[in-house]
Amino acid sequence: MKAPARVRFEDIIDRMEEYLPDVDEALLRHAYVFAAKRHEGQVRRSGEPYLTHPLMVAWILADLELDELAVAVGLLHDILEDTETTEAEMEAEFGPEVTRAVVALTKMSGYESTFTSREATIAENFRRLLLASMSDVRVILVKLADRTHNMRTLEYMKPDRQKAIAQETLDIYAPIANRLGIGSIKRELEDLCFRYLHPKEYERLRKELQERSEVVERWYSDLEEVIRDLLKKAGIEGTIQGRVKHLYSIWQKLRRQGISVANVFDFLAFRIIVRSVSECYAVLGLVHQEWPPVPGRIKDYIAIPKPNAYQSLHTTVLGPEGHPFEIQIRTWKMHELAEHGIAAHWSYKEVGSEHQANDTRIAWLRSLLDTTEGTSPREFLDSLKVDLYPDEVYCFTPRGDVFSFPRGATVLDFAYRVHTEVGHHCTGARINGKWIPLRTRLSNGDVVEIVTSQQQHPRRDWLTMVETSRARNKIRAWLKREEKEHALEIGRRLLEKELRKRQLALKGVPAERLAEAASAHGHAGADEMFAAIGFGHLDAEAVALELFPRDDGEAELPVPSRSAAGNTGSSGVLEVTGSSDFLVHLARCCNPVPGEEIVGYVTRGRGVTVHSRWCPNVRKLLYNPEREIEVRWADGADVAPSRVTIQLVFTDRPGFLADVSQAIAEERGNIVGCQLRAEGPEQRGTASLTVEVRGAAHLERILERLRTMDDVLEVGRQGLVTGVEP
Ligand code: MN
């Protein structure tokens, strides 16, 4: 929200006339003059006359395009709390509606309250505020405007008060603004809270983005032009807004994914505003024809609005050079709703009417107050916080431990959260004492009791029953292990069959002979070799021949087609299935390590480029399946060292880097380059280490080792996405 540094009463009237041509100036002037008189002589901590505060609050409300009564309440909101004015006096001047709202906005001071603790008084003030908001939603809107201006002028408070107020705002007011759908206020509050709660990180991020502003500008205008062209060709009239996401959301993303601000493109977002819903979908199609979408990131909030009534289409696409960026597509009506939320939707002519009562956002307030009736102030504050995060579900174990889950999570997710083994052996569950199926979704406050049996094991269809990545990964790992054991058994049987044909038996083969044969095929041991046969990667007959070469000496060992040229001159690192004519090289974006899953991609005139399966650019490749080609690592490819860059996020302390070097050395990795940034003890630091490793398994060992270090917050390979935002 753009705010002038100072507002005069006339500015407010001017702003209101834009949306209320016949604004009731008399009521507003009456409120203004009254407030000016009562607050006369009072000053704020900033040294400005006190009146600047109610004026700015009224301005924020006018900017949300609220009615005269709301703006008048904004002008008067501190009168009862901070001046000698009485309720009766106020009612005589302005009538019962304005007075009721101002009373609700007046905090009970400690001695008026029946509660002894400060926290209890705060909770009780909240409850009164929300109760009043249910019958008149303007009350909470004035409170949000009040808090917004107080946050803007927080610099004049003492540091400990700054932190306390910012924390309360982040815990309660920003989420309330979100629940009511008022995006503009939510974003501003979050950024202000961020600034006071984590001043260093805030300042650093702000600077880092500023340094990159030129690159960003160039990107914007290039992409904007492409979008403008797309719309023009399709004959769609639309407005394009490009922006960097607000700082707090970027910071959260950086922390969640452990990525660097250098990937500034990740924080760009475009908004395309069009005239109709059908145009929204048409634009989505056009955008996807221009840039491939990132799978799993297309959200249709038009068909399924968010709980706060927000509507839009969201997609993330891979732009030039594989940089992902976000696009939101919406109509003007949806746009206004997204920025002003309930303030846009709700009409003041409908106070207390059925229409207002049916609004889902008001319904949320009501259900919160209903379910917390008679609870203690502490319980009330707790459930308020729980309820303010609509995307999270909180559940309890019978012992009272609490776990939070993303909405949609099931009982099976819960079991895996308790313990991996509990997940693997989970046979059933009771929620609040009642038996329920494993795929039952969790609701807030559920008490979940898991029943296990040693006979139970994960099944493949469990993958469709879980929502958390933790549970999914555990199930996958179990299935993979199981599959390998299965393959091992099949491989052993196939080899036995081959040997029987020659009147031989596996039993008679000495262990060292088996190990030799295994290593000849690039496997660590006999079991790995059996598994390879079972998976069909290795021919049982070839192994049989190797174990017992024919007497005539002409061993008919099929020679593996070791063809294609390798990277950087060393040949035979990669093999292209079915052809020997390709020039093969490793993609620079992800620089795959021998042993990891890879994908080949036929380029025009440059042979085959090989990417890691996890490379973000691969998603784009998959968009052209006809150009994909099967490649695999040649046996022994991991003998030569390859360089990878590992990124670390850590809490800095003296000697940290030395410990990291030692850990890597102990895993036989060789550090060949290092970039480190830390702000001093106890601060967050980041490091990029270039390490020579021999194969993917070696790299994984090193990463695993770093992950177990206490001060390490995040570890990952550069260039590879570690996780996709939910
Ligand atoms: Mn105030």
Side-chain angles (χ1 to χ4, degrees):
M1 192 180 300
K2 267 185 228 88
R6 268 284 172 95
V7 288
R8 298 166 310 141
F9 176 68
E10 285 69 27
D11 297 329
I12 296 170
I13 297 295
D14 287 351
R15 176 71 184 89
M16 290 183 79
E17 273 174 342
E18 287 173 22
Y19 61 92
L20 274 184
D22 45 1
V23 56
D24 179 2
E25 226 184 296
L27 168 66
L28 291 163
R29 193 166 292 280
H30 184 186
Y32 169 64
V33 171
F34 191 79
K37 258 193 217 135
R38 297 295 157 124
H39 285 301
E40 198 176 1
Q42 294 178 341
V43 280
R44 296 200 95 208
R45 278 168 196 274
S46 60
E48 290 181 302
Y50 195 90
L51 193 66
T52 55
H53 170 64
L55 270 174
M56 193 56 92
V57 170
W59 165 264
I60 294 171
L61 293 163
D63 214 37
L64 286 173
E65 312 204 335
L66 289 173
D67 67 333
E68 294 95 340
L69 195 132
V71 177
V73 171
L75 287 167
L76 297 167
H77 78 276
D78 275 333
I79 292 270
L80 292 181
E81 195 169 308
D82 294 333
T83 75
E84 297 300 308
T85 312
T86 65
E87 225 177 289
E89 220 180 323
M90 183 136 203
E91 189 153 346
E93 292 277 343
F94 297 99
E97 214 176 354
V98 169
T99 307
R100 251 200 319 271
V102 176
V103 166
L105 287 158
T106 303
K107 286 200 286 277
M108 284 184 294
S109 57
Y111 61 85
E112 282 172 299
S113 160
T114 50
F115 298 99
T116 44
S117 80
R118 196 180 130 72
E119 190 190 27
T121 311
I122 290 173
E124 210 36 44
N125 279 324
F126 257 124
R127 204 203 296 256
R128 282 198 325 156
L129 186 76
L130 294 182
L131 208 57
S133 306
M134 234 172 54
S135 45
D136 187 349
V137 76
R138 288 173 292 200
V139 171
I140 187 83
L141 297 175
V142 174
K143 184 71 195 177
L144 284 172
D146 179 33
R147 181 53 65 111
T148 303
H149 185 240
N150 286 336
M151 283 300 298
R152 282 181 193 167
T153 51
L154 201 59
E155 60 185 294
Y156 302 105
M157 303 295 276
K158 285 196 212 108
D160 61 320
R161 288 297 295 149
Q162 288 179 347
K163 290 241 194 272
I165 293 169
Q167 192 64 55
E168 184 187 66
T169 305
L170 191 64
D171 282 348
I172 296 186
Y173 290 103
I176 283 182
N178 183 40
R179 278 308 298 243
L180 297 176
I182 312 170
S184 55
I185 286 193
K186 174 204 169 222
R187 286 194 299 271
E188 182 177 355
L189 288 179
E190 283 182 346
D191 273 358
L192 286 164
C193 293
F194 177 28
R195 182 176 147 196
Y196 287 101
L197 290 173
H198 306 277
K200 280 189 187 163
E201 306 243 345
Y202 175 87
E203 202 40 45
R204 185 164 78 202
L205 189 58
R206 203 184 55 77
K207 259 202 212 120
E208 283 177 327
L209 287 175
Q210 206 169 28
E211 282 161 15
R212 289 171 173 80
S213 61
E214 222 171 281
V215 188
V216 172
E217 287 298 319
R218 214 167 33 241
W219 244 67
Y220 267 164
S221 44
D222 289 357
L223 290 174
E224 194 184 339
E225 207 174 296
V226 178
I227 297 173
R228 197 171 302 290
D229 254 28
L230 285 178
L231 295 181
K232 204 170 152 197
K233 273 189 209 137
I236 294 173
E237 210 177 278
T239 298
I240 304 161
Q241 299 177 346
R243 66 191 173 96
V244 177
K245 291 179 185 175
H246 72 294
L247 285 178
Y248 182 68
S249 76
I250 294 177
W251 186 63
Q252 279 184 311
K253 193 171 169 173
L254 286 172
R255 286 209 307 177
R256 205 167 42 226
Q257 301 190 359
I259 49 177
S260 142
V261 75
N263 302 336
V264 65
F265 309 101
D266 283 6
F267 314 124
L268 293 189
F270 276 92
R271 218 175 255 153
I272 305 172
I273 308 169
V274 293
R275 287 166 305 186
S276 69
V277 170
S278 60
E279 280 182 349
C280 288
Y281 289 101
V283 170
L284 184 72
L286 292 172
V287 163
H288 285 172
Q289 277 170 44
E290 184 68 24
W291 300 290
V294 175
R297 296 287 297 274
I298 306 166
K299 303 268 164 66
D300 186 347
Y301 294 121
I302 292 182
I304 304 166
K306 284 193 185 182
N308 65 10
Y310 174 91
Q311 286 188 300
S312 271
L313 298 174
H314 287 195
T315 182
T316 301
V317 297
L318 289 164
E321 293 163 54
H323 291 307
F325 66 97
E326 192 185 293
I327 298 180
Q328 303 175 349
I329 306 162
R330 51 172 77 146
T331 64
W332 280 106
K333 202 176 149 204
M334 294 172 195
H335 181 59
E336 211 203 323
L337 206 76
E339 291 302 297
H340 294 169
I342 200 162
H345 181 65
W346 162 87
S347 158
Y348 39 86
K349 302 212 172 55
E350 294 162 342
V351 173
S353 74
E354 207 175 317
H355 185 86
Q356 195 191 327
N358 285 339
D359 189 299
T360 54
R361 290 157 298 201
I362 298 288
W364 158 70
L365 268 182
R366 168 162 307 122
S367 80
L368 176 71
L369 289 165
D370 282 352
T371 53
T372 54
E373 212 184 305
T375 57
S376 74
R378 170 138 226 137
E379 287 167 325
F380 171 72
L381 262 194
D382 281 347
S383 48
L384 178 64
K385 285 178 191 168
V386 167
D387 231 69
L388 282 172
Y389 292 93
D391 296 332
E392 279 183 66
V393 178
Y394 292 80
C395 298
F396 302 87
T397 66
R399 285 204 331 229
D401 296 329
V402 61
F403 294 116
S404 76
F405 297 89
R407 194 162 286 279
T410 63
V411 172
L412 199 51
D413 285 300
F414 188 95
Y416 274 99
R417 177 65 66 86
V418 173
H419 194 279
T420 305
E421 288 303 310
V422 173
H424 285 343
H425 299 299
C426 171
T427 53
R430 274 190 291 242
I431 284 185
N432 308 327
K434 243 172 67 190
W435 287 102
I436 42 87
L438 287 182
R439 60 169 70 244
T440 306
R441 287 172 195 275
L442 300 169
S443 307
N444 259 329
D446 281 349
V447 177
V448 186
E449 193 182 337
I450 302 288
V451 181
T452 61
S453 148
Q454 282 309 309
Q455 268 66 55
Q456 176 75 313
H457 294 295
R459 295 192 315 260
R460 189 153 286 279
D461 68 323
W462 281 17
L463 289 171
T464 65
M465 290 164 49
V466 294
E467 183 71 23
T468 60
S469 51
R470 176 195 170 92
R472 194 168 294 124
N473 291 339
K474 298 286 183 194
I475 295 170
R476 276 219 188 98
W478 193 93
L479 291 171
K480 216 169 154 188
R481 209 162 52 231
E482 179 76 358
E483 239 168 36
K484 195 180 164 196
E485 270 163 35
H486 195 59
L488 192 154
E489 202 42 50
I490 291 173
R492 182 196 294 275
R493 271 189 232 148
L494 283 172
L495 187 58
E496 270 173 350
K497 206 168 121 199
E498 278 302 321
L499 292 172
R500 257 201 311 279
K501 277 195 215 158
R502 298 168 172 77
Q503 274 82 45
L504 296 164
L506 194 56
K507 258 196 217 148
V509 183
E512 53 270 31
R513 193 74 195 276
L514 276 174
E516 256 170 54
S519 101
H521 288 281
H523 295 290
D527 281 356
E528 276 75 12
M529 182 175 71
F530 294 146
I533 296 173
F535 279 126
H537 299 325
L538 192 58
D539 186 25
E541 195 184 351
V543 177
L545 280 169
E546 202 162 80
L547 290 171
F548 297 97
R550 292 193 178 169
D551 294 340
D552 59 12
E554 278 179 61
E556 284 177 36
L557 291 179
V559 181
S561 64
R562 198 168 295 188
S563 44
N567 65 326
T568 61
S570 71
S571 63
V573 173
L574 293 157
E575 292 172 0
V576 177
T577 308
S579 168
S580 56
D581 300 332
F582 279 108
L583 178 67
V584 188
H585 56 91
L586 297 173
R588 252 183 242 153
C589 47
C590 53
N591 193 25
V593 178
E596 79 174 300
E597 279 189 71
I598 44 177
V599 194
Y601 179 58
V602 182
T603 60
R604 290 193 185 95
R606 284 186 295 116
V608 176
T609 309
V610 176
H611 291 264
S612 158
R613 167 71 67 194
W614 315 114
C615 176
N617 290 328
V618 162
R619 300 208 189 99
K620 194 163 61 171
L621 304 185
L622 294 178
Y623 228 62
N624 283 306
E626 70 280 3
R627 291 170 73 182
E628 200 181 317
I629 191 163
E630 199 179 312
V631 284
R632 62 185 204 91
W633 296 104
D635 297 337
D638 52 1
V639 173
S642 34
R643 288 183 176 191
V644 290
T645 301
I646 296 172
Q647 293 194 315
L648 279 179
V649 180
F650 57 92
T651 313
D652 196 23
R653 61 166 165 79
F656 177 78
L657 188 60
D659 289 352
V660 168
S661 317
Q662 194 187 342
I664 292 176
E666 278 170 13
E667 295 297 339
R668 304 193 169 278
N670 183 25
I671 302 180
V672 293
C674 171
Q675 265 192 331
L676 184 94
R677 184 157 63 181
E679 287 189 345
E682 300 303 307
Q683 296 290 326
R684 227 163 68 101
T686 53
S688 295
L689 303 168
T690 307
V691 181
E692 276 184 338
V693 299
R694 291 173 200 275
H698 186 200
L699 172 62
E700 199 41 56
R701 273 205 310 281
I702 293 175
L703 291 176
E704 197 44 56
R705 175 72 183 266
L706 294 175
R707 240 170 241 136
T708 56
M709 291 181 62
D710 275 350
D711 312 284
V712 170
L713 306 172
E714 304 265 356
V715 185
R717 258 177 83 186
Q718 190 172 46
L720 299 195
V721 174
T722 51
V724 172
E725 197 182 12

